[in-house]
Amino acid sequence: MTAADRSNPVVGTPYGAVRGRWERDVAVFRGIPYAAPPFGPRRFRPPVPPDRWDGVREAAVFGPTAPKPPYSEAFAQYLSDPDIPGDDCLNLNVWTPDPAPGARIPVLVWFHGGALTRGSSAVPVYDGHTFARDGVVFVSLNHRLGVEGYGLFPDAPANPGLRDQLAALQWVHESIAAFGGDPDRVTLGGQSAGAIGAGALVAAPQARGLVRRAVLQSGPPETTDRDKVRRMVRRMATRLKVPATAEAFAGVDRGHLLRAQADVGRRSSPVLGGPAFGVVVDGDLVPRDPLEALTGGAAPGVGLLTGWTRDEYRLWLVPGGLVERLDRLGAVALAGAMARCRCGSEVPRGYRALHPDAGTAELVGQMVTDHLLRAPLHRLADGRQDPSYVYEFAWPSNRPGMGACHALELGFVFDSGREPAARKLAGEGAPQELADAMHGAWVRFVTDGSPGWERWDPRHPVRVFGDGDPHTGHGPRDRELALWSAPAPEEPAPTPELRSVIRRLRRNGALRRT
């Protein structure tokens, strides 16, 4: 290999050749289009292949990110979200230790988080260098977000953002061998909304054979009620003064659309609910609820690694000051959580008995986390015949009040704690040995199918990554999750008391998200 080749690795794809860069002994290719720009006549439509190009396309910098509103000031102090303008936002990036056909290196495809409204592959925490350094071809991607990717309209197919993710996964299957990857050893991984998308695709018949393993971090396989998404679209339409159709929304200026989405979305919250965007059952790509499909035998042969953080809820509550408001509201906040989780009073009573010293906000946060996240991930692991492995990230951030919050584990998964973007959430002095352990577990799972501890069985082994050496506990959340075993009604009764609770929460600001 000549010095010039070493500086500029060139790889062929089905649509043309791309030139990357060698960075710290890893070949990096950024901004490769896997589908055509989703605008103009393609807006709100399923993705189509990109146009072919002649010559060699430079792939040195990240491509455009999908249109998205910025984080509020309260959240931006903890989370980074670069915005790169441009229409060609359906692009991906590849980090590889050996860009040579025939290398047959295991592959990790990464779906970013961000509540399906924010995030991108350009977030510095998601640097794929460490995975490539340790023998994994790493692929990250952008897809449509918010109303562009997950709005529900009578005149357009559902789930275009999820269809983008499928198109990227198909691109990997067709193209990754040229970058040294093994298309038969692809692990699909994601965090939060990325995990929800990954779970939906693992269950999707159209993705059969594209995925060998999957990692779902802080996000279960789930779908959102179609009416909840429709309400989001209708409220945007009212604000924009246009019909709630894809044709009408396609004629709206992109900036106006994002501002309307941000305004309407302020009342959405993982803790207290509200209209929101999400993957929906569409009878096509998502023919049924993914959790039901996966526990019913879908995706045979696909191993799973799932995890959560101990204090997921703190990222949802601390930045906007909601912890203090919920603690002040006391029993009223617990009643609101009962409505959110559609449970009876025995559930918060049980949590109070198990955690007598916890504040109201902690009880509400753990209840909602268990209901929305841990319980379905338990159900997923219980219902699968193929190997499943479960972990909990329990190291508390050095940022005041954040604890082991949602997304904190990512700097450890990627071993990117040196990045300023990771320190925004973790603070200074995050332990390198914990990053070595966490990152190493993911690498082992992608490479060999086992992260290094016992697979899930009736004893419920959970690997705990916290202070000190990682250790395995058996059933550490079983007592809390047992409180949800009684069947809950499909909807809470619309009693005057419940309506009074919701009104009081709104008056006190608990239904607003900063």
Side-chain angles (χ1 to χ4, degrees):
M1 179 179 290
T2 68
D5 290 334
R6 182 70 179 176
S7 300
N8 301 291
V10 175
V11 171
T13 80
Y15 307 102
V18 292
R19 179 183 288 112
R21 297 291 184 273
W22 284 99
E23 299 176 4
R24 295 175 289 167
D25 295 321
V26 165
V28 186
F29 302 79
R30 297 182 176 92
I32 305 171
Y34 66 84
F39 298 107
R42 305 188 189 100
R43 202 171 182 190
F44 298 104
R45 313 306 300 179
V48 298
D51 292 335
R52 297 179 183 273
W53 59 87
D54 296 325
V56 179
R57 181 184 181 117
E58 295 296 329
V61 298
F62 287 113
T65 54
K68 59 188 188 300
Y71 280 116
S72 68
E73 183 178 347
F75 283 88
Q77 65 176 308
Y78 298 103
L79 302 172
S80 296
D81 194 12
D83 183 53
I84 303 173
D87 285 353
D88 205 357
C89 62
L90 301 186
N91 57 70
L92 54 76
N93 320 292
V94 179
W95 283 258
T96 175
D98 185 3
R104 309 294 289 186
I105 302 167
V107 180
L108 173 60
V109 177
W110 174 252
F111 290 173
H112 67 78
L116 296 180
T117 57
R118 294 176 175 87
S120 77
S121 65
V123 173
V125 176
Y126 305 151
D127 187 347
H129 172 267
T130 55
F131 280 100
R133 174 199 68 192
D134 295 331
V136 172
V137 173
F138 182 84
V139 180
S140 61
L141 60 118
N142 295 328
H143 61 90
R144 280 173 282 183
L145 301 169
V147 71
E148 301 270 5
Y150 297 92
L152 195 55
F153 299 98
D155 56 337
N159 299 316
L162 188 67
R163 295 173 192 276
D164 295 343
Q165 293 176 326
L166 175 63
L169 197 56
Q170 292 168 331
W171 183 97
V172 168
H173 186 73
E174 297 168 359
S175 308
I176 204 64
F179 293 83
D182 185 346
D184 296 323
R185 285 199 293 166
V186 172
T187 298
L188 183 54
Q191 184 265 348
S192 192
I196 293 171
L201 286 188
V202 169
Q206 295 179 31
R208 188 80 43 87
L210 300 181
V211 178
R212 178 82 166 271
R213 303 180 184 104
V215 187
L216 308 183
Q217 165 65 44
S218 297
E222 68 175 15
T223 55
T224 300
D225 180 74
R226 292 174 68 92
D227 189 57
K228 192 173 184 178
V229 180
R230 287 194 188 99
R231 290 202 308 272
M232 191 78 168
V233 172
R234 285 197 298 266
R235 291 180 185 183
M236 287 184 63
T238 299
R239 189 171 293 266
L240 293 165
K241 297 181 173 58
V242 299
T245 64
E247 181 181 11
F249 272 52
V252 175
D253 173 79
R254 220 176 288 174
H256 291 160
L257 202 62
L258 289 176
R259 285 190 289 274
Q261 176 182 299
D263 289 342
V264 172
R266 284 197 177 96
R267 292 195 174 186
S268 299
S269 165
V271 174
L272 293 166
F277 295 114
V279 174
V280 298
V281 173
D282 59 18
D284 174 25
L285 181 57
V286 188
R288 59 186 294 207
D289 179 81
L291 181 56
E292 292 180 1
L294 290 171
T295 54
V302 175
L304 292 178
L305 174 62
T306 64
W308 55 73
T309 71
R310 185 190 62 196
D311 308 312
E312 297 272 3
Y313 68 95
R314 288 191 170 271
L315 185 64
W316 310 330
L317 300 185
V318 171
L322 197 52
V323 166
E324 293 79 8
R325 293 202 292 272
L326 290 178
D327 280 340
R328 285 198 305 269
L329 288 168
V332 176
L334 286 173
M338 288 163 52
R340 173 75 177 97
C341 298
R342 298 181 295 185
C343 65
S345 59
E346 70 282 355
V347 174
R349 283 201 303 266
Y351 275 78
R352 174 61 70 196
L354 291 171
H355 305 282
D357 298 326
T360 299
E362 182 177 351
L363 289 182
V364 168
Q366 295 291 5
M367 279 176 56
V368 174
T369 299
D370 286 347
H371 174 67
L372 296 179
L373 201 158
R374 294 190 186 109
L377 288 178
H378 261 243
R379 181 182 163 199
L380 176 64
D382 280 338
R384 296 275 293 164
Q385 297 299 315
D386 294 291
S388 291
Y389 302 87
V390 179
Y391 65 84
E392 175 173 288
F393 182 83
W395 181 80
S397 169
N398 288 323
R399 296 292 304 273
M402 296 305 289
C405 67
H406 191 70
L408 177 62
E409 81 292 343
L410 292 172
F412 298 84
V413 167
F414 281 84
D415 188 14
S416 56
R418 294 169 296 279
E419 289 283 348
R423 297 201 298 272
K424 287 174 71 173
L425 196 54
E428 300 295 333
Q432 180 60 45
E433 60 271 18
L434 182 57
D436 295 340
M438 191 81 174
H439 175 72
W442 278 54
V443 169
R444 286 191 296 272
F445 181 75
V446 171
T447 303
D448 303 322
S450 172
W453 62 89
E454 57 197 293
R455 60 182 287 183
W456 188 260
D457 62 22
R459 299 173 302 151
H460 293 176
V462 176
R463 192 70 162 176
V464 179
F465 293 88
D467 288 321
D469 293 333
H471 62 278
T472 300
H474 291 88
R477 299 285 174 178
D478 284 4
R479 294 187 302 169
E480 289 87 350
L481 296 179
L483 298 169
W484 301 92
S485 58
E490 290 189 2
E491 295 291 341
T495 62
E497 292 81 5
L498 179 59
R499 288 195 291 268
S500 175
V501 165
I502 299 301
R503 285 196 297 271
R504 187 171 174 187
L505 287 168
R506 284 177 176 157
R507 284 198 303 272
N508 283 275
L511 283 180
R512 292 196 299 271
R513 182 176 180 179
T514 304

